[in-house]
Amino acid sequence: MSPASLSVLDLVPVSTGSTPAEALHRTIDLARHAERAGYARYWLAEHHLNPGVAGSAPNIVIGAVAAATSTIRVGSAATLVGNVRGLQIAETFGTLAALYGPRIDLGLGRSGAPAPGTPKPPPLAPRTDEVVDGLLVPAPFDFRIAAGSRFALQGELLGRVPGDVDRFDGELELIRALFAGTWSRDGSVVGAPPAGGAPVELWIHGSTGGASARAAGALGLPYGANYHTSPGTVLASVQAYRDAFRPGVLDAPHVIVSADVVVGRAADEAEELALGYGQWVYSIRSGAGAIEYPTPDEARATPLSDEAAAAVADRIATRFVGDASHVADRLETLRRATGADELLVTTITHDHAARVRSYDLLAAEWARRAAAEVTVAV
């Protein structure tokens, strides 16, 4: 089997000593490099009220990236339905497709609080770390303990109300109908130009074996599973999608799986570049909001407490750090264990040049392996 295609997930990180404007311009630069290096997709995430993340308006950044490139697919991972209405989503991505052609991807994610009285999900069953087909699958992190004031403030300012999460299926149906040009009211089709007929590739993203995975499978849509944010639940997520899959948009399941990586010219360089990740992840999981990404020296000067280190241990252990050969080996393991059709790589370092180089080194090694497999097959 030839290596799965590689794509980029960009959070538009802000490094200490820089500004959000600089981070946004660096995203454009990275996207151009990614296209030249052969990455298949360039996806933007949505985050709000985080000093260390400038990706708060991914739809605008998608347009800027699409304008600066010509062949790479560009899209969202994910547009959070709890934050905006389906009509706005369809019109926005229809506009992007009208401007930049059939290379726009719309990834949808479920967010928001359930309606009052909705039974709470049971606590996660205790489980220790496991190694499955060579892949570390840590004990799942219970995100409910991470709720903090920053999360609550986001919900307030975005106008979320209890029950928003329950809108997902209806909004998904609306978006699909608007793209298809079939949505009607009182027997009359209602168009939403330029959404109608827009060549937008629709994905659903999820972190668990829950409703998002089942919805993607039931509709025969492609699915994005998160190893980088929720490594302990990735196998359950992918399996739930495959179990629910019925031919629809696709004839067979199609999965992209994300991973955090840092590639250096040598292992010790990669380890140095990777410093600061623990502090950055903890700032998110604690509910304080992502900090500006520190330098290695700043990270060494502010070590995590034992409690904080334990709260991010799963993320540290599942980040692939090393030279290109080592990281490619780990990605091959991730692909094999999850059955991924594509892999979505996210890399954050303080230094922009090092981040670009990480993607370039990985792409070159991945292409070398693909060429070698073709040669062997011949």
Side-chain angles (χ1 to χ4, degrees):
M1 179 185 292
S2 299
S5 63
L6 295 181
S7 293
V8 175
L9 174 63
D10 186 3
L11 277 63
V12 196
V14 181
S15 299
T16 58
S18 67
T19 66
E22 288 173 318
L24 288 161
H25 285 287
R26 287 168 179 165
T27 279
I28 303 304
D29 181 63
L30 179 59
R32 292 186 175 119
H33 277 275
E35 182 173 71
R36 289 195 293 268
Y39 286 88
R41 307 175 192 272
Y42 198 98
W43 284 353
L44 284 301
E46 178 181 347
H47 295 278
H48 301 278
L49 301 183
N50 287 280
V53 173
S56 55
N59 298 343
I60 295 175
V61 185
I62 289 168
V65 168
T69 57
S70 59
T71 58
I72 195 169
R73 298 195 66 86
V74 187
S76 62
T79 297
L80 301 180
V81 172
N83 295 346
V84 65
R85 294 288 178 171
L87 173 61
Q88 296 166 300
I89 294 170
E91 290 176 335
T92 297
F93 279 79
T95 300
L96 290 167
L99 290 172
Y100 304 110
R103 59 188 181 104
I104 301 298
D105 297 333
L106 168 57
L108 295 175
R110 187 185 303 264
S111 68
T118 301
K120 293 183 178 180
L124 294 173
R127 181 170 72 70
T128 58
D129 294 356
E130 300 176 341
V131 176
V132 179
D133 199 10
L135 180 72
L136 174 61
V137 182
F141 179 79
D142 192 341
F143 286 90
R144 288 175 297 187
I145 69 174
S149 60
R150 189 61 60 100
F151 294 111
L153 184 58
Q154 288 180 29
E156 175 188 336
L157 296 180
L158 289 168
R160 291 180 186 162
V161 296
D164 271 348
V165 72
D166 303 316
R167 293 194 292 108
F168 182 85
D169 290 341
E171 296 284 51
L172 174 58
E173 181 180 357
L174 170 64
I175 291 166
R176 296 183 71 223
L178 291 173
F179 282 144
T182 60
W183 192 80
S184 63
R185 172 63 59 85
D186 299 327
S188 298
V189 172
V190 180
V200 175
E201 190 170 290
L202 184 62
W203 291 68
I204 295 180
H205 294 266
S207 297
T208 70
S212 294
R214 294 192 298 270
L219 295 171
L221 289 167
Y223 181 63
N226 297 322
Y227 184 68
H228 83 288
T229 57
S230 188
T233 58
V234 67
L235 294 184
S237 180
V238 171
Q239 190 60 52
Y241 165 67
R242 291 202 173 102
D243 288 345
F245 188 86
R246 301 293 182 271
V249 176
L250 303 177
D251 293 330
H254 188 94
V255 177
I256 192 168
V257 177
S258 62
D260 255 311
V261 314
V262 175
V263 179
R265 290 166 291 198
D268 57 349
E269 180 186 71
E271 293 290 346
E272 176 76 2
L273 293 172
L275 293 175
Y277 183 70
Q279 288 89 337
W280 186 80
V281 172
Y282 182 70
S283 67
I284 299 170
R285 282 192 168 177
S286 68
I291 59 172
E292 295 177 346
Y293 201 87
T295 66
D297 285 341
E298 289 168 338
R300 277 187 284 265
T302 56
L304 292 173
S305 67
D306 290 345
E307 180 182 7
V312 299
D314 62 324
R315 293 284 299 272
I316 299 294
T318 55
R319 195 186 199 197
F320 303 153
V321 178
D323 62 23
S325 179
H326 172 76
V327 170
D329 285 345
R330 300 311 300 151
L331 287 171
E332 287 280 13
T333 298
L334 177 65
R335 188 268 298 263
R336 184 180 65 248
T338 61
D341 301 284
E342 304 181 42
L343 294 170
L344 183 64
V345 175
T346 182
T347 297
I348 301 178
T349 61
H350 180 274
D351 180 66
H352 175 64
R355 186 174 179 229
V356 171
R357 186 169 62 245
S358 176
Y359 278 109
D360 282 344
L361 289 169
L362 178 59
E365 174 64 15
W366 207 250
R368 184 194 68 77
R369 293 183 179 208
E373 287 196 13
V374 170
T375 300
V376 170
V378 172

